[in-house]
Amino acid sequence: MTKSKETGWNLDNSYARLPGLFFSSTNPTPVRSPKLVILNNKLAESLGLNVQALQSEDGAAVFAGNEIPEGASPLAQAYGGHQFGHFNMLGDGRAVLLSEQITPRDERVDIQLKGSGRTPYSRGGDGRAALGPMLREYIISEAMYALGIPTTRSLAVVTTGELVIRETKLPGAILTRVAASHLRVGTFQYVAQWGTARELRILADYALHRHFPEVEAGENQYLSLLQEVVKRQAELIAKWQLVGFIHGVMNTDNMTISGETIDYGPCAFMDTYDPATVFSSIDIQGRYAYGNQPVIGGWNLARFAEALLPLLHDDEEQAVELAQDKISDFTKLYHSNWVAGMRAKLGIFNEEAEDEALIKELLSVMKKHRADYTNTFRALTFDTLEDTALLGTPEFTEWHERWQTRLGRQQESKDSSNQLMRNSNPALIPRNHRVEEALEAAVEQGDYSVMERLLEMLSNPYAHSAEQAEYSTLPASTIPYRTFCGT
Ligand code: AMP
Ligand code: MG
């Protein structure tokens, strides 16, 4: 028997009412001995869930997929996607959308179990996930949320009591992911490729209703859909760039319609500033390098526009023209978001034409001297430049003078300028060696205290507390960091 009343599940799966082409009804595959290892209490409460009830055996059973709460109708979503530029049929191969939770604020969010067993879209995969990568997604997604970057959230991780076979045998786990929705660019590509015009319209109407109700009834609402997604992705990717986040696998199936960051596989934060930075072991060509992310964002949105073409205009040529117009907006929107964010990082309130040159000059000096991205902005904020590789170099001295002169040309006080910088430059990011340390303690020793403390430090990145300082030091090792998809 389910105990929705106690746990607070308030489920309604609107996706299950969409055409059958869009998904396959699939239950999670039960696991041997579920154990809740981490629960996001604050997120649970905001969803209207009862933390105590979730911590019980029954609570863990839901996160493990061993019990289906009342009102859920689990399904695996179908989608396609361009992976490193090549189009493939994909779909949820190791995840099920349990249902949508209606929150106390009447918001509808997806509750998805990741690592919940095979589905009709699993192809050769085992449908499972290892503990390390699921905890990693938990840490990074929650860090992103705290940094103010739109993202899917992590509600809980359970270990399964089963092993998964990768290069070695690893403890299995399931992550409960919360998202505004799991609609992806790839969802539209899939329906455009294999569905009817009617089905494509249904999907677009669903996306409009769920994410952009303000334009749903407008004229050419499908063009508005494209425009809104372009806008959200431009804002999102600018935010990534401003904190040095590298997604690592910006395939079109990993780009949401809601504008949330999704799919924390090989992602990582950049230490030394270098646009060519790549962490992912499989990104040989650097397609998804830090400096390429805005270009790839635009490329992915062009694939979205292509999928929408039949809805934009009856005449194909005119549809293409309309789409191109919106896609070219992406570059402009991205750029203005990025420049605005950079101004804030430098404590600048008003706009001057030369600001961009000032910003670029700093970045070029940082690149030349291999300065740490996060710590340089923090050092500028707190005037602790002795901590950087830049102090004393003639280029930087000259730049610093220009910057100070520039700050003098605005009305706002030095104090408010400094406050703006404190709010725009995080004290810390999830440093790779800190994340690894937390994962190792959890996975190897079952000690979650290191991860809990890291999460606490990351939960308020703009606090600039004394305790956070030790989390901003650089790794001792100079070996380039490598990430893996964790599949
Ligand atoms: P991702 O790299 O996580 O975006 O995954 C790409 C595709 O591979 C998606 O369709 C996933 O569902 C699928 N996939 C990844 N890992 C597995 C696995 N272990 N078993 C089945 N499917 C998987
Ligand atoms: Mg994916």
Side-chain angles (χ1 to χ4, degrees), residues 242 337-347 359 363 373 377:
L242 290 165
N337 277 295
W338 181 79
V339 175
M342 274 293 176
R343 276 199 185 96
K345 284 174 88 68
L346 292 175
I359 294 162
L363 292 175
Y373 183 75
F377 283 100

Side-chain angles (χ1 to χ4, degrees), residues 317-363:
E317 244 173 69
Q318 292 202 46
V320 170
E321 211 171 292
L322 288 169
Q324 267 166 352
D325 193 40
K326 295 295 171 216
I327 293 302
S328 62
D329 282 350
F330 173 77
T331 316
K332 289 177 238 158
L333 283 171
Y334 163 75
H335 186 254
S336 57
N337 277 295
W338 181 79
V339 175
M342 274 293 176
R343 276 199 185 96
K345 284 174 88 68
L346 292 175
I348 300 172
F349 287 92
N350 62 337
E351 295 179 17
E352 283 187 10
E354 299 85 58
D355 289 342
E356 203 179 327
L358 185 75
I359 294 162
K360 292 206 164 139
E361 177 61 23
L362 172 64
L363 292 175

